[in-house]
Amino acid sequence: MVTCNNISLDQKDIAIETRDLNIYYGSKHAIKNLSMQIKKLDITAFIGPSGCGKSTYLRALNRMNDLIPITKTTGKILFDGININDKNVDLATIRQKIGMVWQKPNPFNKSIYENIVFALKYYGIRQKQILDEIVEDSLRKVALWDEVKDRLHKSALALSGGQQQRLCIARAIATKPEILLLDEPTSALDPISSGKIEELLFELKQDYTIIIVTHNMQQAGRISSYTAFFLLGDLIEYDETNVIFTNPVVDKTNDYIMGRFG
Amino acid sequence: MLSIIIITVITYFIASKGLSTFFKNGINLFDFLFGTQWKPEHDTTPLFGAFPFIFGSFSVTILAVLLSTPLSVGAAIFMAEISPKWGAKFLQPVIELLIGIPSVVYGFIGLSIIVPFIRNTFGGMGFSLASGMIVLAIMILPTITSVSYDALKSLPSGLKDASYALGATRWQTIYRVLIPTALPNILTGIVLGMARAFGEALAVQMVIGNVQRLPSSILDSVSTLTSILTLEMSNTIAGTTYNNALWSMALILLLMSFVFIMIIRILGKGSKLNER
Ligand SMILES: Nc1ncnc2c1ncn2[C@@H]1O[C@H](COP(=O)(O)OP(=O)(O)O)[C@@H](O)[C@H]1O
Ligand SMILES: [Mg+2]
């Protein structure tokens, strides 16, 4: 398999890194020897046809694959200087620092306010004033504050799909994470809502490292600085986004970008 | 359509008989509902105080639900969240089988195991409110478990992911996300169980002793509306005050079942609002 990984970063610029990561679903080898470094405070996009392992790899980064009993993950995931692919790490801490947002908005059946403070209570934050501040701050960061400030205690389920997705992002950043993992966050939304989320991510990269899985080439091209192309569990090509889109080294990358498969 | 006609006819029939106790036979409604003396065949001053049976029905039902709910919801959580493999392959079929068992079987189990158990452990006759509570709790356990299990199973998987991804543990996820979200449907299961317990005649009658007075402890023998109805209806002559008073009890049972249906409807509306 021809592969090309041109991204080698200084240690201080790496938000998270995997070394020889292998993920299996039972006997199915879903991620193969994947080594890559993710740039801090920037946006990295994962592209590739359905079933190539983008979500599987993404979920490994905050150990969400642990929830699927048949998975086995070998290799190293280095985050903040430690290998978090280790049974002794505290999952709550990892997941607080590495947040996640899915394709389908999944707010809890609670008020907007309760959605955002949900996790904070587990970290021992109880003073109302601090919680209020975090709620406002998180909602402002996702540009939702003005739309919902008068109905913070109303059900989150009454929001539109795009608003719900922004709420889910706000909920994820309320725990002050370092990294946000986004698995096709706009593919269930209308173009206007998607556009808003894209703008938002562009803002958020000042404070957070963002990894986004997307099926939308234009989206990857517009917002990301780095792009990784996956195929059948392999990292085929990883480079700066403009290189991937204008001058890819591997033929398969080119075929995919040109829409010849997937 | 047909069912509406049937329900209307039944309601009319029971209501006309049940209400004539008060309008034709001149029994005071208050005396009927709150009187504690049931002496329908007394020669000079027959008394129709149904309170002991009303109390018996409500107390045995509520106690059974209180006993059964934690067990059932716990079982549903186990099946849906703790051991889904076991839950789906083995426990779910078993629970469904248990729902179909006729109540006489539960009554028989009560008679041969629970009544002697109560007698040997706490003394007394063993035929008691406590026995009725346990038999009914066992009987409604599969109903509540099954409805709660379905409620938990049908939650969108994204909810669970979201909770775990925020660092919640399994128990925090169950208690703070899954149960609250499934609550309207779980409550529906509880009300269904309650309705079944309240309307059950045979299994209860076999174990509660059917003594016609107010119990002073849960080890006392009691009667319920249903047990009195099944035991005495055939001994009475249509049109007598005694017979009509029994119909009045049937009317209470009917009204209660309307109440249960209404609660279930309201809960159903609540859970639809939550759907996404
Ligand atoms: N829960 C699972 N159990 C078994 N196999 C899975 C599971 N999730 C994903 N897979 C398999 O792993 C491969 C990668 O899937 P996924 O990571 O979802 O791909 P992508 O997100 O790129 O579409 C696919 O072949 C898929 O069938
Ligand atoms: Mg995917």
Side-chain angles (χ1 to χ4, degrees):
Chain A
M1 182 81 60
V2 190
T3 61
C4 178
N5 182 344
N6 273 336
I7 300 302
S8 176
L9 303 167
D10 277 356
Q11 195 59 41
K12 66 170 176 29
D13 290 329
I14 300 175
I16 192 165
E17 167 177 11
T18 62
R19 291 198 191 146
D20 297 323
L21 198 73
N22 285 285
I23 306 177
Y24 305 84
Y25 291 104
S27 59
K28 185 185 163 61
H29 199 172
I31 290 292
K32 299 167 187 163
N33 266 320
L34 212 153
S35 300
M36 76 187 295
Q37 302 172 336
I38 303 289
K39 176 86 185 297
K40 224 176 229 174
L41 301 183
D42 215 328
I43 301 182
T44 301
F46 290 175
I47 61 172
S50 253
C52 65
K54 306 177 297 291
S55 299
T56 301
Y57 182 73
L58 198 72
R59 280 200 309 266
L61 300 181
N62 67 346
R63 298 276 303 270
M64 286 295 282
N65 285 330
D66 286 28
L67 297 179
I68 306 167
I70 55 170
T71 51
K72 196 179 109 201
T73 305
T74 67
K76 283 187 176 160
I77 304 170
L78 300 171
F79 174 68
D80 278 351
I82 57 163
N83 175 19
I84 60 168
N85 185 31
D86 182 302
K87 62 179 184 332
N88 293 323
V89 299
D90 176 34
L91 291 180
T93 313
I94 297 300
R95 290 172 184 164
Q96 176 206 340
K97 291 186 178 161
I98 308 178
M100 191 158 203
V101 173
W102 286 261
Q103 174 174 354
K104 192 159 178 269
N106 54 4
F108 301 127
N109 180 14
K110 298 174 189 288
S111 70
I112 294 168
Y113 188 96
E114 283 295 323
N115 263 274
I116 294 182
V117 302
F118 176 82
L120 302 175
K121 297 191 170 159
Y122 299 135
Y123 307 126
I125 305 173
R126 304 217 173 261
Q127 297 103 306
K128 186 169 181 308
Q129 195 198 337
I130 297 181
L131 292 173
D132 287 352
E133 269 170 29
I134 296 177
V135 168
E136 174 167 354
D137 186 51
S138 309
L139 287 172
R140 280 195 191 282
K141 279 193 170 144
V142 299
L144 198 56
W145 175 251
D146 290 331
E147 291 164 52
V148 304
K149 63 170 184 269
D150 300 325
R151 47 174 169 149
L152 290 178
H153 297 282
K154 299 267 162 62
S155 171
L157 303 186
L159 299 173
S160 72
Q163 288 174 322
Q164 287 189 4
Q165 194 64 306
R166 277 183 281 154
L167 176 66
C168 291
I169 298 174
R171 180 176 67 184
I173 62 184
T175 66
K176 308 214 179 335
E178 295 170 27
I179 303 179
L180 284 178
L181 309 173
L182 309 169
D183 197 345
E184 302 187 35
T186 63
S187 48
L189 303 179
D190 62 88
I192 294 173
S193 306
S194 305
K196 281 192 187 160
I197 301 240
E198 276 182 30
E199 279 171 36
L200 181 69
L201 296 179
F202 218 76
E203 291 287 314
L204 290 176
K205 78 174 187 181
Q206 291 167 8
D207 298 316
Y208 310 96
T209 300
I210 293 172
I211 306 177
I212 179 171
V213 172
T214 178
H215 267 128
N216 180 332
M217 285 320 134
Q218 286 82 18
Q219 185 173 62
R222 275 193 300 267
I223 65 173
S224 70
S225 305
Y226 298 90
T227 296
F229 172 57
F230 286 67
L231 192 61
L232 295 171
D234 282 304
L235 177 63
I236 299 292
E237 186 160 0
Y238 181 32
D239 211 322
E240 289 177 18
T241 297
N242 57 15
V243 178
I244 295 280
F245 279 87
T246 55
N247 203 7
V249 175
V250 184
D251 289 344
K252 286 221 172 73
T253 313
N254 198 39
D255 290 349
Y256 183 70
I257 304 281
M258 304 310 268
R260 274 184 226 137
F261 69 93
Chain B
M1 194 57 215
L2 185 67
S3 57
I4 295 178
I5 295 173
I6 293 175
I7 290 172
T8 317
V9 169
I10 291 177
T11 310
Y12 175 77
F13 181 71
I14 296 181
S16 67
K17 288 221 168 206
L19 290 176
S20 60
T21 316
F22 313 111
F23 296 119
K24 234 171 68 199
N25 307 112
I27 303 293
N28 184 313
L29 177 64
F30 188 87
D31 288 345
F32 175 76
L33 290 178
F34 299 102
T36 55
Q37 300 286 325
W38 179 254
K39 289 183 180 141
E41 290 178 307
H42 197 278
D43 290 338
T44 50
T45 50
L47 289 167
F48 296 92
F51 184 73
F53 320 135
I54 297 173
F55 179 84
S57 278
F58 276 94
S59 56
V60 78
T61 300
I62 289 167
L63 288 172
V65 167
L66 287 180
L67 179 62
S68 196
T69 296
L71 299 173
S72 312
V73 175
I77 291 171
F78 180 82
M79 288 162 62
E81 297 301 326
I82 315 273
S83 183
K85 239 193 200 155
W86 254 71
K89 273 212 194 100
F90 178 68
L91 291 171
Q92 195 190 11
V94 169
I95 294 285
E96 270 160 17
L97 196 81
L98 289 177
I99 294 181
I101 291 182
S103 56
V104 63
V105 175
Y106 287 102
F108 190 71
I109 293 172
L111 201 57
S112 51
I113 300 174
I114 294 160
V115 170
F117 171 78
I118 298 278
R119 178 165 53 225
N120 298 334
T121 326
F122 302 103
M125 296 264 292
F127 292 96
S128 60
L129 186 53
S131 303
M133 160 184 91
I134 296 173
V135 167
L136 283 181
I138 297 172
M139 201 178 92
I140 63 179
L141 189 126
T143 307
I144 305 180
T145 305
S146 164
V147 176
S148 305
Y149 175 74
D150 290 342
L152 289 169
K153 272 282 158 195
S154 62
L155 293 176
S157 68
L159 282 180
K160 223 193 304 183
D161 287 342
S163 173
Y164 282 116
L166 287 164
T169 63
R170 181 198 262 177
W171 285 111
Q172 290 165 337
T173 302
I174 290 173
Y175 279 115
R176 292 210 33 223
V177 179
L178 303 184
I179 294 190
T181 312
L183 196 61
N185 290 327
I186 293 176
L187 286 175
T188 299
I190 294 172
V191 177
L192 278 172
M194 202 182 271
R196 189 166 177 205
F198 196 81
E200 176 55 34
L202 202 52
V204 179
Q205 180 196 315
M206 286 166 79
V207 300
I208 56 168
N210 304 304
V211 168
Q212 300 178 355
R213 64 177 137 70
L214 272 179
S216 53
S217 88
I218 67 165
L219 295 175
D220 275 2
S221 169
V222 289
S223 292
T224 63
L225 293 169
T226 48
S227 69
I228 290 292
L229 270 174
T230 50
L231 288 172
E232 301 194 359
M233 193 56 112
S234 57
N235 302 336
T236 61
I237 300 156
T240 58
T241 313
Y242 186 4
N243 183 268
N244 285 341
L246 292 177
W247 283 107
S248 305
M249 291 190 210
L251 184 60
I252 295 177
L253 289 170
L254 185 73
L255 293 179
M256 277 310 293
S257 64
F258 289 158
V259 169
F260 288 128
I261 290 168
M262 253 163 57
I263 297 174
I264 288 169
R265 289 245 151 168
I266 293 166
L267 289 170
K269 278 211 190 96
S271 75
K272 286 234 176 57
L273 287 179
N274 296 336
E275 259 169 32
R276 275 175 288 145

